[in-house]
Amino acid sequence: MEHSLKEFFDRALKEVSLDCTVFGFHEGELKVLLLRWKGIDGWSLPGGHILLDESVDDAANRILTQRTGLDDVFLQQFYTFGNVNRYVYHPEKELLEKMETTFGKGFFDGIIFRRVVSIGYLALVEFDQVQPTPDWFTDECRWWSLADVPHLLFDHNEMIDRALKALRQRIRNQPVGINLLPEKFTMPELQRLYETILGRQFDRRNFQKLLMSYDILERLDEKRIGAANKSPYLYRFVKEKYERAAAEGVSFTM
Amino acid sequence: MEHSLKEFFDRALKEVSLDCTVFGFHEGELKVLLLRWKGIDGWSLPGGHILLDESVDDAANRILTQRTGLDDVFLQQFYTFGNVNRYVYHPEKELLEKMETTFGKGFFDGIIFRRVVSIGYLALVEFDQVQPTPDWFTDECRWWSLADVPHLLFDHNEMIDRALKALRQRIRNQPVGINLLPEKFTMPELQRLYETILGRQFDRRNFQKLLMSYDILERLDEKRIGAANKSPYLYRFVKEKYERAAAEGVSFTM
DNA sequence: TTTTCAATGCGTAAATTTTACACAAAGAAA
DNA sequence: TTTCTTTGTGTAAAATTTACGCATTGAAAA
């Protein structure tokens, strides 16, 4: 990493940033990945700036890989945030001062942030596969339940709200489960995922009927054992069929 | 207008721009508003840069008003374009040289465009109400039928493609007609608008049934006379009801 | 070992929504 | 007056979505 921001921004865009809302699904809850900044006491979404020779999509993938250790995940732009007062939640000046305390006087020399527009990306990852990795800028990297998300820096609470709305829209046309669940899962687990994202309950039998009608799932000869009830079958997505469905679009009508 | 770009960019973001795909509906066709640049022989979407004290949405409205003379129109962000090679279609260097020929040597002094990310906006306007107004940068301002759109500067052809896709999606959840049609219109006119946008035909009777079921249209006691056939009734959107429907979302299921 | 309890697997009937379709009437033009 | 094109209207069939019950499984409790 460079010793000064200036060196970094000689290679990157200053007025545009990119923030990822990373969703995971664990113990029947939707979680979001947040970072605690070094030096200042505040949480935010993982984000970063775009290198000059890198497309915005590439930048999103790079940042996500650096942050979660994951590659090749669902990652789509959903909205670009450009309010004048995006920084109002934590005045920039105060923030810069605190960071200079941490990183040393002169850290910001040659750099003036006039204003930053941020491109919001929505990422869906398999919770168990993620290795949250705090970096040079970050003290801590943690999953939060949506309900518990604290007051974040900048406009990042608004970003999460919009990301969730975007997710709710996209789940209706794309078979999103493959991105949030492990390789093998039961039908009730898949249903709980849908119920959690959409905030509604579905009829067990109708849900199974609809999902199977997409012809993207395969029932395995294995069952999940251990619980005090009838053991449910395990399913998995059939990759080729899934990809065709994702391209053509499904319609989740419940 | 400033005499140098530098003066302008002292007050505006350089690395972010904004381009509007402005759709209008005329003679049963979907049209898009394009500009021909002064100095260089090329067409593009109307766009511009964002002032430092102006939100991105405000900038879009300002640019659109300057360009079309219209205020208070449907205007929504749909995608942000950030490929490294966005300018590949018309190499920036060549473009700058031509512009210096037109605007005078030194026009670009103090300004280096490293790279520009552009936020795409979708605008829907009433064709007859628009007064296309070429500005200082622009030789000509003209409506083009979608099928006839020429090869545009930068990635603007791709922008129109994506804007149309976005429009097709949004027409399914928002009663978009009000933005593209004049105050009063006939049911066949409304149907033709939907058919044009979606590129499909609908049954006349089912279309009327569905649109009336939204409870946002009012049939007037007037008819459109003049054509060699039975005179169709005129309809109009009932504003309050329309706004409630737009907020809650309709579902155009055909 | 037996019983209990909670969750799963499976199929059919009812309700709702979407699609298909035909004929009479209006109005300008021939 | 006739012709021609387009509009206004309602109902039946098809498809989709919703509602719902019972037998079975497997761990835990008795």
Side-chain angles (χ1 to χ4, degrees):
Chain A
M1 176 54 87
E2 299 78 4
H3 282 308
S4 77
L5 275 186
K6 180 150 188 347
E7 283 172 44
F8 173 72
F9 283 111
D10 283 345
R11 301 191 292 115
L13 294 170
K14 261 173 65 176
E15 297 175 354
V16 193
S17 72
L18 180 161
D19 291 294
C20 300
T21 304
V22 185
F23 286 115
F25 185 66
H26 187 58
E27 291 177 348
E29 278 191 291
L30 208 53
K31 313 263 184 179
V32 61
L33 195 63
L34 298 177
L35 322 179
R36 189 156 53 82
W37 284 37
K38 201 168 274 185
I40 59 176
D41 180 33
W43 292 84
S44 81
L45 295 174
H49 283 258
I50 298 145
L51 299 176
L52 283 174
D53 59 354
E54 176 186 61
S55 76
V56 177
D57 278 349
D58 288 346
N61 276 289
R62 172 180 54 81
I63 289 166
L64 194 65
T65 301
Q66 288 173 354
R67 192 63 61 189
T68 63
L70 276 185
D71 207 3
D72 191 28
V73 300
F74 180 100
L75 184 59
Q76 292 185 354
Q77 194 193 113
F78 68 93
Y79 193 76
T80 295
F81 297 82
N83 281 343
V84 178
N85 60 355
R86 287 191 56 231
Y87 286 83
V88 82
Y89 301 103
H90 203 298
E92 183 183 81
K93 224 166 147 189
E94 183 187 335
L95 195 149
L96 295 189
E97 278 168 15
K98 282 196 182 179
M99 292 190 74
E100 284 207 327
T101 310
T102 306
F103 295 111
K105 201 87 185 163
F107 185 71
F108 290 104
D109 282 3
I111 278 288
I112 302 162
F113 284 102
R114 299 199 302 178
R115 181 171 157 202
V116 181
V117 166
S118 189
I119 305 172
Y121 272 78
L122 167 62
L124 305 180
V125 302
E126 286 179 40
F127 187 90
D128 294 320
Q129 299 296 312
V130 171
Q131 272 117 32
T133 46
D135 66 7
W136 185 75
F137 254 77
T138 307
D139 260 352
E140 190 186 349
C141 197
R142 196 204 291 173
W143 286 107
W144 291 73
S145 289
L146 267 187
D148 303 333
V149 168
H151 195 277
L152 305 179
L153 293 173
F154 317 121
D155 55 355
H156 288 195
N157 291 95
E158 187 195 337
M159 284 188 184
I160 293 178
D161 288 348
R162 271 201 192 257
L164 184 57
K165 274 193 194 135
L167 174 57
R168 284 180 173 159
Q169 293 227 347
R170 283 172 210 205
I171 202 179
R172 303 208 152 271
N173 301 311
Q174 300 204 202
V176 141
I178 197 176
N179 306 290
L180 287 161
L181 291 174
E183 161 101 25
K184 299 174 185 179
F185 51 87
T186 67
M187 194 55 75
E189 282 164 4
L190 182 60
Q191 180 172 346
R192 228 148 286 144
L193 172 64
Y194 273 72
E195 290 177 338
T196 304
I197 291 177
L198 291 169
R200 290 179 43 206
Q201 307 284 108
F202 303 110
D203 180 275
R204 195 159 59 83
R205 292 149 288 190
N206 295 334
F207 181 84
Q208 163 140 358
K209 236 182 298 174
L210 183 60
L211 271 284
M212 291 310 282
S213 77
Y214 299 154
D215 188 32
I216 52 177
L217 292 176
E218 174 186 35
R219 188 164 89 177
L220 307 175
D221 281 333
E222 289 173 78
K223 298 185 170 191
R224 168 139 310 154
I225 55 174
N229 52 36
K230 186 170 178 177
S231 304
Y233 283 104
L234 290 173
Y235 293 79
R236 77 165 159 221
F237 285 93
V238 182
K239 200 151 194 179
E240 312 82 58
K241 295 190 174 177
Y242 163 78
E243 275 160 8
R244 184 177 42 66
E248 292 172 11
V250 298
S251 81
F252 185 79
T253 45
M254 282 178 169
Chain B
M1 177 54 88
E2 299 78 5
H3 282 309
S4 78
L5 275 187
K6 181 152 187 344
E7 282 171 47
F8 174 71
F9 282 111
D10 282 346
R11 301 191 293 116
L13 293 170
K14 261 173 64 176
E15 297 174 354
V16 194
S17 72
L18 179 160
D19 291 294
C20 299
T21 304
V22 185
F23 285 116
F25 185 66
H26 188 59
E27 291 177 347
E29 278 191 291
L30 208 53
K31 314 263 186 179
V32 62
L33 194 64
L34 297 178
L35 322 178
R36 190 156 52 81
W37 283 37
K38 200 168 273 184
I40 59 176
D41 180 33
W43 291 84
S44 80
L45 295 174
H49 282 260
I50 299 145
L51 299 176
L52 283 175
D53 60 355
E54 176 187 62
S55 77
V56 177
D57 279 348
D58 289 345
N61 277 289
R62 171 179 56 78
I63 289 167
L64 194 65
T65 301
Q66 288 173 355
R67 192 62 61 188
T68 64
L70 277 184
D71 206 4
D72 192 29
V73 300
F74 180 100
L75 184 60
Q76 291 184 357
Q77 194 193 113
F78 68 92
Y79 193 75
T80 295
F81 297 83
N83 280 344
V84 178
N85 60 355
R86 286 191 57 230
Y87 285 82
V88 84
Y89 302 102
H90 203 297
E92 183 182 84
K93 226 165 141 189
E94 185 187 335
L95 195 150
L96 294 189
E97 278 168 15
K98 283 196 181 177
M99 292 190 73
E100 284 207 326
T101 309
T102 306
F103 295 110
K105 201 89 183 164
F107 185 70
F108 289 105
D109 281 3
I111 278 287
I112 302 161
F113 283 101
R114 299 199 301 177
R115 182 171 158 201
V116 182
V117 167
S118 189
I119 306 173
Y121 271 79
L122 167 61
L124 305 180
V125 302
E126 287 179 39
F127 187 90
D128 294 320
Q129 299 296 313
V130 171
Q131 272 117 32
T133 46
D135 67 7
W136 184 78
F137 254 77
T138 308
D139 260 351
E140 189 186 350
C141 196
R142 195 204 292 174
W143 286 108
W144 291 71
S145 288
L146 266 186
D148 303 334
V149 168
H151 195 277
L152 305 179
L153 294 174
F154 317 121
D155 55 353
H156 288 195
N157 290 94
E158 187 194 338
M159 284 189 184
I160 293 178
D161 288 347
R162 270 202 193 256
L164 183 59
K165 274 194 194 135
L167 173 57
R168 285 181 172 159
Q169 293 227 347
R170 283 173 210 205
I171 202 179
R172 303 209 152 270
N173 301 311
Q174 299 204 202
V176 141
I178 198 177
N179 306 290
L180 287 162
L181 291 174
E183 162 100 26
K184 300 173 184 180
F185 52 87
T186 67
M187 194 55 75
E189 283 164 3
L190 182 60
Q191 181 173 345
R192 227 148 287 143
L193 172 65
Y194 273 72
E195 290 178 337
T196 305
I197 291 177
L198 291 170
R200 288 181 44 207
Q201 306 283 108
F202 302 111
D203 180 276
R204 200 158 57 81
R205 292 151 288 189
N206 294 336
F207 181 84
Q208 165 139 357
K209 235 182 299 173
L210 184 59
L211 269 285
M212 291 310 282
S213 78
Y214 298 154
D215 188 31
I216 52 177
L217 292 176
E218 175 185 35
R219 186 164 90 176
L220 306 176
D221 282 333
E222 289 173 78
K223 298 185 171 192
R224 166 139 312 154
I225 54 175
N229 53 36
K230 186 170 177 177
S231 304
Y233 283 103
L234 290 174
Y235 292 78
R236 78 166 159 219
F237 285 93
V238 181
K239 201 152 194 178
E240 313 83 57
K241 294 188 174 179
Y242 162 77
E243 275 161 8
R244 184 177 41 68
E248 291 173 12
V250 298
S251 82
F252 184 80
T253 44
M254 282 176 169

